[in-house]
Amino acid sequence: MGIKPANASFGKAKRLLNASDYSRVFDGAEAKASHKHLLLLAKSNNQPGHRLGLVIAKKNVRHAVQRNRIKRIARETFRQLPDSEQHLDVVLLARRGMDQLENAELSSILQQQWQKLVRRTSQNQDS
């Protein structure tokens, strides 16, 4: 494996860490992006950047290998997001069938949904 750039890490500052972080997003989601295989919920935050929380239930994705693969790809696409002026707390919820997607397809869907989410939060902020 090659050496990753310094900003490519996924440290604690980029994660939702506790139940209250998740509850804040679930209870007060300002924007949603829904797809057949996933749901993204977002709420603006006052942190120095975007933060991500993952909910990949065993009920929806049976095998640990698949859950870990989905998390890895989700983090990777999240890391590549451009920094918008609005910083968001985002929760990704996996739906049934997400484990059937190929890596490239999953990555593409995630990128489209992130963009949709950012557009919706900026629209909500403008109104």
Side-chain angles (χ1 to χ4, degrees), residues 16 21-29 31-43 51-61 66-67 70-71 74-75 78 89-99 101 106 109-110 113-114 117:
L16 297 180
D21 289 343
Y22 280 88
S23 295
R24 201 176 143 271
V25 177
F26 283 127
D27 297 340
K32 298 176 184 178
S34 184
H35 183 272
K36 177 182 172 185
H37 297 294
L38 62 97
L39 173 65
L40 292 174
L41 302 172
K43 182 167 177 59
R51 297 190 309 167
L52 176 66
L54 299 167
V55 180
I56 317 290
K58 193 186 289 189
K59 174 182 166 186
N60 295 331
V61 181
Q66 296 299 332
R67 290 193 300 275
I70 290 167
K71 291 177 193 177
R75 287 185 199 113
F78 187 78
D89 284 349
V90 179
V91 174
L92 181 150
L93 292 110
R95 291 182 171 156
R96 235 175 223 135
M98 194 173 190
D99 55 341
L101 299 173
L106 179 57
I109 290 169
L110 283 168
Q113 297 307 312
W114 295 132
L117 196 64

Side-chain angles (χ1 to χ4, degrees), residues 1-17:
M1 295 186 106
I3 298 172
K4 294 183 178 180
N7 65 350
S9 68
F10 197 73
K12 281 190 174 189
K14 294 187 179 186
R15 290 182 280 173
L16 297 180
L17 297 173

Side-chain angles (χ1 to χ4, degrees), residues 72-98:
R72 191 172 51 250
I73 293 169
R75 287 185 199 113
E76 185 58 35
T77 55
F78 187 78
R79 257 194 295 267
Q80 294 169 356
L81 280 179
D83 232 10
S84 61
E85 56 197 50
Q86 174 111 20
H87 294 154
L88 303 172
D89 284 349
V90 179
V91 174
L92 181 150
L93 292 110
R95 291 182 171 156
R96 235 175 223 135
M98 194 173 190

